Amino acid sequence: GAGVSQSPRYKVAKRGQDVALRCDPISGHVSLFWYQQALGQGPEFLTYFQNEAQLDKSGLPSDRFFAERPEGSVSTLKIQRTQQEDSAVYLCASRTLRGFDNEQFFGPGTRLTVL
Amino acid sequence: GQQVMQIPQYQHVQEGEDFTTYCNSSTTLSNIQWYKQRPGGHPVFLIQLVKSGEVKKQKRLTFQFGEAKKNSSLHITATQTTDVGTYFCAGSRYGQNFVFGPGTRLSVLP
């Protein structure tokens, strides 16, 4: 593919519902990041994978948030029992692993609205 | 934890005027990146700075990394309407994960 893709692009959930957000990184990109971006704010780091290993999940706001990348390619961010404060754009980014060549390629994001 | 701040929050300029945004980190960084996000879009990588005191130029954009590697700036000469968007800096302490600043939103009046 030409870039990082995310699905769905928009998701409306009722409070208490579970949601799953998908990220397809650029083929061959080892590293994958999830960010949460609230309106008018910068992206906030959630979690980071290198291949299938989740190396850092310090940014996940609560144990309702769970991310996986079982085969080191596609990743899913799952939010259980959604709350209104979870409403945000969820961005996925991928990058290669070549020394300090750290350019992150972002997907278009999934806009989650929790009613 | 690590914090990254940016000023100003908003900047309105007349087309042709210059623009500068400043980024400050609470901790010393190994590298810093700059991204541009157009309204309704996603962040797009502009540049990475690694060395203390480094200056890089991309056409009308000039990026600087401070000597202490705790601050950075982005300067745009003679702004154009295509420069509209939010500019984010993102700093990393160890070269892996990046903390983004809140961004500076640039408006350019024709």
Coordinates of all heavy atoms in Angstrom, one line a residue, chain B residues 32-110:
Chain B
I32 N 14.8 15.8 18.0 CA 13.5 16.4 17.9 C 13.0 16.4 16.5 O 13.8 16.5 15.5 CB 13.6 17.9 18.4 CG1 12.2 18.4 18.7 CG2 14.4 18.8 17.5 CD1 12.2 19.6 19.6
Q33 N 11.7 16.2 16.3 CA 11.1 16.2 15.0 C 10.1 17.3 14.9 O 9.5 17.8 15.9 CB 10.4 14.9 14.7 CG 11.4 13.7 14.7 CD 10.6 12.4 14.5 OE1 9.4 12.2 14.7 NE2 11.4 11.4 14.0
W34 N 9.8 17.8 13.7 CA 8.7 18.7 13.4 C 7.7 18.1 12.4 O 8.2 17.4 11.4 CB 9.3 20.0 12.8 CG 10.0 20.9 13.9 CD1 11.3 20.9 14.2 CD2 9.3 21.9 14.7 NE1 11.5 21.8 15.2 CE2 10.3 22.4 15.5 CE3 8.0 22.4 14.8 CZ2 10.1 23.4 16.4 CZ3 7.8 23.4 15.7 CH2 8.8 23.9 16.5
Y35 N 6.5 18.3 12.7 CA 5.4 17.8 11.8 C 4.4 19.0 11.5 O 4.3 19.9 12.3 CB 4.6 16.7 12.5 CG 5.3 15.4 12.7 CD1 6.2 15.3 13.7 CD2 5.1 14.4 11.8 CE1 6.9 14.1 13.9 CE2 5.8 13.2 12.0 CZ 6.7 13.0 13.0 OH 7.4 11.9 13.1
K36 N 3.8 18.9 10.4 CA 2.7 19.8 10.0 C 1.4 19.0 9.8 O 1.4 18.0 9.2 CB 3.1 20.5 8.7 CG 2.0 21.5 8.2 CD 2.4 22.1 6.8 CE 1.3 23.0 6.3 NZ 1.6 23.5 5.0
Q37 N 0.4 19.6 10.4 CA -1.0 19.0 10.2 C -1.9 20.0 9.6 O -2.2 21.1 10.3 CB -1.5 18.5 11.6 CG -2.8 17.7 11.5 CD -3.1 17.1 12.9 OE1 -2.7 17.5 13.9 NE2 -3.9 16.0 12.8
R38 N -2.4 19.7 8.4 CA -3.4 20.6 7.8 C -4.7 20.4 8.5 O -5.0 19.3 9.0 CB -3.4 20.4 6.3 CG -2.2 20.8 5.5 CD -2.5 21.0 4.1 NE -1.5 21.9 3.4 CZ -0.5 21.4 2.8 NH1 -0.3 20.1 2.6 NH2 0.3 22.2 2.2
P39 N -5.6 21.4 8.4 CA -6.9 21.2 9.0 C -7.6 20.0 8.4 O -7.7 19.8 7.2 CB -7.6 22.5 8.6 CG -6.6 23.5 8.4 CD -5.4 22.8 7.9
G40 N -8.1 19.1 9.3 CA -8.7 17.9 8.9 C -7.8 16.8 8.5 O -8.3 15.7 8.1
G41 N -6.5 17.0 8.5 CA -5.5 16.0 8.1 C -4.8 15.4 9.2 O -5.1 15.5 10.4
H42 N -3.8 14.7 8.8 CA -2.9 14.0 9.8 C -1.5 14.6 9.8 O -1.1 15.3 8.9 CB -2.9 12.5 9.6 CG -2.4 12.2 8.2 ND1 -3.2 12.1 7.1 CD2 -1.1 11.9 7.8 CE1 -2.5 11.8 6.0 NE2 -1.2 11.6 6.4
P43 N -0.8 14.4 10.9 CA 0.6 15.0 10.9 C 1.4 14.4 9.8 O 1.4 13.2 9.6 CB 1.1 14.6 12.3 CG -0.1 14.3 13.1 CD -1.1 13.7 12.2
V44 N 2.2 15.3 9.2 CA 3.2 14.9 8.2 C 4.5 15.4 8.6 O 4.7 16.5 9.0 CB 2.8 15.6 6.8 CG1 3.8 15.3 5.8 CG2 1.4 15.1 6.3
F45 N 5.5 14.5 8.5 CA 6.8 14.7 8.9 C 7.5 15.8 8.1 O 7.4 15.8 6.9 CB 7.6 13.4 8.8 CG 9.1 13.5 9.2 CD1 9.5 13.4 10.5 CD2 10.0 13.6 8.2 CE1 10.9 13.4 10.8 CE2 11.4 13.7 8.5 CZ 11.8 13.6 9.8
L46 N 8.2 16.7 8.8 CA 8.9 17.8 8.1 C 10.4 17.5 8.2 O 11.1 17.5 7.1 CB 8.6 19.1 8.7 CG 7.2 19.7 8.5 CD1 7.0 21.0 9.2 CD2 6.8 19.8 7.0
I47 N 10.9 17.3 9.4 CA 12.4 17.2 9.6 C 12.7 16.6 10.9 O 11.9 16.6 11.8 CB 13.0 18.6 9.4 CG1 14.5 18.4 8.9 CG2 13.0 19.3 10.7 CD1 15.0 19.7 8.2
Q48 N 13.9 16.1 11.1 CA 14.4 15.6 12.3 C 15.8 16.3 12.6 O 16.6 16.5 11.7 CB 14.6 14.1 12.4 CG 15.3 13.6 13.7 CD 15.3 12.1 13.8 OE1 14.3 11.6 14.4 NE2 16.3 11.5 13.3
L49 N 16.0 16.8 13.8 CA 17.2 17.4 14.2 C 17.8 16.5 15.3 O 17.1 16.1 16.2 CB 17.0 18.8 14.8 CG 16.3 19.8 13.8 CD1 15.9 21.0 14.5 CD2 17.2 20.1 12.6
V50 N 19.2 16.3 15.2 CA 19.8 15.4 16.2 C 21.0 16.1 16.9 O 21.2 15.8 18.1 CB 20.4 14.2 15.4 CG1 21.1 13.3 16.3 CG2 19.2 13.4 14.7
K51 N 21.7 17.0 16.2 CA 22.9 17.5 16.8 C 22.7 18.8 17.5 O 21.8 19.7 17.1 CB 24.0 17.7 15.7 CG 24.4 16.5 15.0 CD 25.3 16.8 13.9 CE 25.7 15.5 13.1 NZ 26.6 15.9 11.9
S52 N 23.4 19.1 18.6 CA 23.3 20.3 19.4 C 23.7 21.5 18.4 O 24.7 21.4 17.7 CB 24.3 20.2 20.5 OG 24.5 21.5 21.1
G53 N 22.8 22.5 18.4 CA 23.1 23.7 17.6 C 22.8 23.5 16.1 O 23.0 24.4 15.3
E54 N 22.2 22.4 15.8 CA 22.0 22.1 14.4 C 21.0 23.0 13.7 O 20.0 23.4 14.3 CB 21.5 20.6 14.2 CG 21.4 20.1 12.8 CD 21.1 18.6 12.7 OE1 20.7 18.0 13.8 OE2 21.3 18.0 11.7
V55 N 21.3 23.4 12.5 CA 20.3 24.2 11.7 C 20.1 23.5 10.4 O 21.1 23.2 9.7 CB 20.9 25.7 11.5 CG1 20.0 26.5 10.6 CG2 21.2 26.4 12.8
K56 N 18.9 23.4 10.0 CA 18.5 22.8 8.7 C 17.5 23.7 8.0 O 16.7 24.3 8.6 CB 17.9 21.4 8.9 CG 18.9 20.3 9.3 CD 18.3 18.9 9.2 CE 19.3 17.8 9.5 NZ 18.7 16.5 9.4
K57 N 17.7 23.7 6.7 CA 16.8 24.5 5.9 C 16.0 23.7 4.8 O 16.6 22.8 4.2 CB 17.5 25.7 5.2 CG 18.1 26.7 6.1 CD 18.6 27.9 5.4 CE 19.1 28.9 6.4 NZ 19.5 30.2 5.8
Q58 N 14.8 24.0 4.6 CA 14.0 23.4 3.6 C 13.3 24.6 2.9 O 12.2 25.0 3.4 CB 12.9 22.4 4.1 CG 13.4 21.1 4.6 CD 12.3 20.2 5.2 OE1 11.2 20.6 5.3 NE2 12.7 19.0 5.5
K59 N 13.8 25.0 1.8 CA 13.2 26.1 1.1 C 13.0 27.3 2.0 O 14.0 27.9 2.5 CB 11.9 25.7 0.4 CG 12.2 24.6 -0.7 CD 10.9 24.2 -1.4 CE 11.2 23.1 -2.4 NZ 9.9 22.7 -3.1
R60 N 11.8 27.7 2.3 CA 11.5 28.8 3.1 C 11.5 28.5 4.6 O 11.3 29.4 5.5 CB 10.2 29.5 2.7 CG 10.1 30.1 1.3 CD 8.8 30.6 1.0 NE 7.8 29.6 0.9 CZ 6.8 29.4 1.8 NH1 6.8 30.1 2.9 NH2 6.0 28.4 1.7
L61 N 11.7 27.2 5.0 CA 11.6 26.8 6.4 C 13.0 26.6 6.9 O 13.9 26.0 6.3 CB 10.8 25.5 6.5 CG 9.3 25.5 6.5 CD1 8.7 26.1 5.2 CD2 8.7 24.1 6.8
T62 N 13.3 27.2 8.1 CA 14.5 27.0 8.8 C 14.3 26.4 10.2 O 13.5 27.0 10.9 CB 15.3 28.3 8.9 OG1 15.5 28.9 7.7 CG2 16.6 28.1 9.6
F63 N 14.9 25.3 10.5 CA 14.8 24.6 11.7 C 16.1 24.7 12.5 O 17.2 24.6 12.0 CB 14.5 23.1 11.5 CG 13.3 22.9 10.7 CD1 13.4 22.9 9.3 CD2 12.0 22.6 11.2 CE1 12.3 22.7 8.5 CE2 10.9 22.4 10.4 CZ 11.0 22.4 9.1
Q64 N 15.9 25.0 13.9 CA 17.1 25.0 14.7 C 16.9 24.1 15.9 O 15.8 24.1 16.5 CB 17.3 26.5 15.2 CG 17.9 27.4 14.2 CD 18.3 28.7 14.8 OE1 17.5 29.4 15.4 NE2 19.6 29.1 14.6
F65 N 18.0 23.6 16.4 CA 18.0 22.8 17.6 C 19.0 23.5 18.6 O 20.1 23.8 18.2 CB 18.5 21.4 17.3 CG 18.1 20.3 18.3 CD1 17.3 20.6 19.4 CD2 18.7 19.0 18.2 CE1 16.9 19.6 20.3 CE2 18.3 18.0 19.2 CZ 17.4 18.3 20.2
G66 N 18.5 23.8 19.8 CA 19.3 24.5 20.7 C 20.6 23.8 21.2 O 20.7 22.6 21.1
E67 N 21.5 24.6 21.6 CA 22.8 24.1 22.1 C 22.7 23.1 23.2 O 23.4 22.1 23.3 CB 23.7 25.2 22.5 CG 24.1 26.2 21.5 CD 25.1 25.6 20.5 OE1 25.8 24.6 20.8 OE2 25.2 26.1 19.3
A68 N 21.7 23.3 24.1 CA 21.5 22.4 25.2 C 20.5 21.3 24.8 O 20.2 20.4 25.7 CB 20.9 23.2 26.4
K69 N 20.1 21.2 23.6 CA 19.2 20.2 23.1 C 17.9 20.1 24.0 O 17.4 19.0 24.3 CB 19.9 18.8 23.1 CG 21.1 18.8 22.1 CD 21.7 17.5 22.0 CE 20.9 16.6 21.1 NZ 21.5 15.3 20.8
K70 N 17.4 21.3 24.4 CA 16.2 21.3 25.1 C 15.1 22.2 24.4 O 14.0 22.3 24.8 CB 16.4 21.9 26.6 CG 17.2 20.9 27.4 CD 17.3 21.4 28.8 CE 16.0 21.3 29.6 NZ 16.1 21.6 31.0
N71 N 15.6 22.9 23.4 CA 14.6 23.8 22.7 C 14.9 23.8 21.2 O 16.0 23.4 20.7 CB 14.6 25.2 23.2 CG 16.0 25.8 23.2 OD1 16.6 26.0 22.1 ND2 16.6 26.0 24.4
S72 N 13.9 24.2 20.4 CA 14.0 24.2 19.0 C 13.1 25.3 18.4 O 12.2 25.7 19.2 CB 13.6 22.8 18.4 OG 13.7 22.8 17.0
S73 N 13.3 25.6 17.2 CA 12.4 26.6 16.6 C 12.3 26.3 15.1 O 13.1 25.6 14.5 CB 13.0 28.0 16.7 OG 14.2 28.2 16.0
L74 N 11.1 26.7 14.6 CA 10.8 26.6 13.2 C 10.5 28.0 12.7 O 9.6 28.7 13.3 CB 9.6 25.7 13.0 CG 8.8 25.8 11.7 CD1 9.7 25.6 10.4 CD2 7.7 24.9 11.7
H75 N 11.2 28.5 11.7 CA 11.0 29.8 11.1 C 10.6 29.7 9.7 O 11.2 28.9 8.9 CB 12.2 30.6 11.2 CG 12.1 32.0 10.7 ND1 11.6 33.1 11.3 CD2 12.5 32.5 9.4 CE1 11.6 34.2 10.6 NE2 12.1 33.8 9.4
I76 N 9.5 30.3 9.3 CA 9.0 30.3 7.9 C 9.2 31.8 7.4 O 8.7 32.7 7.9 CB 7.6 29.9 7.7 CG1 7.4 28.5 8.3 CG2 7.2 29.9 6.2 CD1 6.0 28.0 8.2
T77 N 9.9 31.9 6.3 CA 10.1 33.2 5.6 C 9.0 33.4 4.6 O 8.7 32.5 3.8 CB 11.5 33.2 5.0 OG1 12.5 32.9 6.0 CG2 11.8 34.6 4.3
A78 N 8.5 34.6 4.6 CA 7.5 35.0 3.5 C 6.4 34.0 3.4 O 6.3 33.2 2.4 CB 8.2 35.2 2.2
T79 N 5.6 33.9 4.4 CA 4.5 32.9 4.4 C 3.6 32.9 3.2 O 3.4 34.0 2.6 CB 3.7 33.0 5.7 OG1 3.2 34.4 5.8 CG2 4.4 32.7 6.9
Q80 N 3.1 31.8 2.9 CA 2.1 31.6 1.8 C 0.9 30.9 2.4 O 0.9 30.3 3.4 CB 2.7 30.8 0.7 CG 4.0 31.4 0.1 CD 4.6 30.5 -1.0 OE1 4.2 29.4 -1.2 NE2 5.7 31.0 -1.6
T81 N -0.2 31.1 1.6 CA -1.5 30.5 2.1 C -1.3 28.9 2.3 O -2.0 28.3 3.1 CB -2.6 30.8 1.2 OG1 -2.3 30.4 -0.1 CG2 -2.9 32.3 1.3
T82 N -0.4 28.3 1.5 CA -0.2 26.9 1.6 C 0.5 26.5 2.9 O 0.6 25.3 3.3 CB 0.6 26.4 0.5 OG1 1.8 27.2 0.4 CG2 -0.1 26.5 -0.8
D83 N 1.0 27.5 3.7 CA 1.6 27.2 5.0 C 0.6 27.0 6.1 O 1.0 26.6 7.2 CB 2.6 28.3 5.3 CG 3.8 28.4 4.4 OD1 4.2 27.4 3.8 OD2 4.2 29.6 4.1
V84 N -0.6 27.3 5.8 CA -1.7 27.2 6.9 C -1.7 25.8 7.5 O -1.6 24.8 6.7 CB -3.0 27.5 6.3 CG1 -4.2 27.1 7.2 CG2 -3.1 29.0 6.0
G85 N -1.8 25.7 8.8 CA -1.9 24.4 9.5 C -1.3 24.5 10.9 O -1.0 25.6 11.3
T86 N -1.2 23.4 11.5 CA -0.7 23.4 12.9 C 0.7 22.7 12.8 O 0.8 21.6 12.3 CB -1.6 22.6 13.9 OG1 -2.9 23.3 13.9 CG2 -1.1 22.6 15.3
Y87 N 1.7 23.3 13.4 CA 3.0 22.8 13.5 C 3.3 22.3 14.8 O 3.2 23.0 15.8 CB 4.0 23.9 13.1 CG 3.8 24.4 11.6 CD1 2.9 25.3 11.3 CD2 4.6 23.8 10.6 CE1 2.7 25.7 10.0 CE2 4.5 24.2 9.3 CZ 3.5 25.1 9.0 OH 3.3 25.5 7.7
F88 N 3.7 21.0 14.9 CA 4.0 20.3 16.1 C 5.5 20.0 16.2 O 6.1 19.5 15.2 CB 3.3 19.0 16.2 CG 1.8 19.1 16.3 CD1 1.0 18.9 15.2 CD2 1.2 19.4 17.5 CE1 -0.4 19.0 15.3 CE2 -0.2 19.5 17.6 CZ -1.0 19.3 16.5
C89 N 6.1 20.2 17.3 CA 7.4 19.6 17.6 C 7.2 18.3 18.4 O 6.2 18.2 19.1 CB 8.3 20.5 18.3 SG 7.8 21.0 19.9
A90 N 8.1 17.4 18.3 CA 8.0 16.1 19.0 C 9.4 15.8 19.5 O 10.3 15.6 18.6 CB 7.4 15.0 18.2
G91 N 9.6 15.6 20.8 CA 10.9 15.4 21.3 C 11.0 14.0 21.8 O 10.1 13.4 22.4
S92 N 12.2 13.4 21.7 CA 12.5 12.1 22.2 C 13.7 12.1 23.1 O 14.7 12.8 22.8 CB 12.7 11.1 21.1 OG 13.1 9.8 21.6
R93 N 13.7 11.4 24.2 CA 14.9 11.4 25.1 C 15.8 10.3 24.7 O 17.0 10.4 24.9 CB 14.4 11.1 26.5 CG 13.6 12.3 27.1 CD 13.1 12.0 28.5 NE 14.2 11.8 29.5 CZ 14.0 11.5 30.7 NH1 12.8 11.3 31.2 NH2 15.1 11.4 31.5
Y94 N 15.3 9.2 24.1 CA 16.2 8.1 23.8 C 16.1 7.6 22.3 O 16.6 6.6 22.0 CB 15.8 6.9 24.7 CG 15.8 7.2 26.2 CD1 14.6 7.3 26.9 CD2 17.0 7.5 26.8 CE1 14.6 7.6 28.2 CE2 17.0 7.9 28.2 CZ 15.8 7.9 28.9 OH 15.8 8.2 30.2
G95 N 15.4 8.4 21.5 CA 15.4 8.1 20.1 C 14.3 7.2 19.7 O 14.2 6.8 18.5
Q96 N 13.4 6.8 20.6 CA 12.4 5.8 20.3 C 11.0 6.5 20.3 O 10.4 6.8 19.3 CB 12.4 4.6 21.2 CG 13.6 3.8 21.1 CD 13.7 3.1 19.7 OE1 12.7 2.8 19.1 NE2 14.9 2.9 19.2
N97 N 10.5 6.7 21.5 CA 9.2 7.3 21.6 C 9.2 8.8 21.6 O 10.2 9.4 22.2 CB 8.5 6.8 22.8 CG 8.4 5.3 22.8 OD1 8.5 4.7 21.8 ND2 8.2 4.7 24.0
F98 N 8.2 9.5 21.1 CA 8.3 10.9 21.0 C 7.1 11.5 21.7 O 6.0 11.0 21.7 CB 8.2 11.4 19.5 CG 9.5 11.1 18.8 CD1 9.8 9.9 18.3 CD2 10.4 12.2 18.6 CE1 11.0 9.7 17.6 CE2 11.6 12.0 17.9 CZ 11.9 10.7 17.4
V99 N 7.4 12.6 22.4 CA 6.3 13.4 23.1 C 6.1 14.6 22.3 O 7.0 15.4 22.0 CB 6.8 13.8 24.5 CG1 5.7 14.7 25.2 CG2 7.0 12.6 25.4
F100 N 4.8 14.8 21.9 CA 4.4 15.9 21.0 C 4.1 17.1 21.9 O 3.5 17.0 22.9 CB 3.2 15.6 20.2 CG 3.6 14.8 18.9 CD1 3.9 13.4 19.0 CD2 3.5 15.3 17.7 CE1 4.2 12.7 17.9 CE2 3.8 14.6 16.5 CZ 4.2 13.3 16.7
G101 N 4.4 18.3 21.3 CA 3.9 19.5 21.9 C 2.5 19.8 21.5 O 1.9 19.1 20.7
P102 N 1.9 20.8 22.1 CA 0.5 21.1 21.8 C 0.3 21.8 20.4 O -0.9 21.9 20.0 CB 0.1 22.1 22.9 CG 1.3 22.7 23.3 CD 2.4 21.7 23.1
G103 N 1.3 22.2 19.8 CA 1.2 22.8 18.4 C 1.0 24.3 18.4 O 0.6 24.9 19.4
T104 N 1.4 24.9 17.3 CA 1.1 26.3 17.0 C 0.3 26.3 15.7 O 0.7 25.8 14.7 CB 2.4 27.1 16.7 OG1 3.2 27.1 17.9 CG2 2.1 28.5 16.3
R105 N -0.9 26.9 15.8 CA -1.8 27.0 14.7 C -1.5 28.2 13.9 O -1.6 29.4 14.5 CB -3.3 26.9 15.2 CG -4.3 26.9 14.0 CD -5.7 26.7 14.5 NE -5.8 25.4 15.3 CZ -6.9 25.0 15.9 NH1 -8.0 25.8 15.8 NH2 -6.9 23.9 16.5
L106 N -1.2 28.1 12.7 CA -0.8 29.2 11.8 C -2.0 29.5 10.8 O -2.4 28.6 10.1 CB 0.5 28.9 11.0 CG 0.9 30.0 10.0 CD1 1.2 31.3 10.6 CD2 2.0 29.5 9.1
S107 N -2.4 30.8 10.8 CA -3.3 31.2 9.8 C -2.6 32.3 9.0 O -1.9 33.1 9.5 CB -4.6 31.9 10.5 OG -5.2 31.0 11.3
V108 N -2.8 32.2 7.7 CA -2.2 33.2 6.8 C -3.3 33.9 6.0 O -4.1 33.2 5.3 CB -1.2 32.4 5.8 CG1 -0.6 33.4 4.8 CG2 -0.2 31.7 6.5
L109 N -3.4 35.2 6.2 CA -4.4 36.0 5.5 C -3.9 36.4 4.2 O -2.8 37.0 4.1 CB -4.7 37.2 6.4 CG -5.2 36.8 7.8 CD1 -5.4 38.1 8.6 CD2 -6.5 36.0 7.8
P110 N -4.6 36.2 3.1 CA -4.2 36.6 1.7 C -4.2 38.1 1.5 O -4.8 38.8 2.2 CB -5.2 35.9 0.8 CG -6.4 35.7 1.6 CD -5.9 35.5 3.1

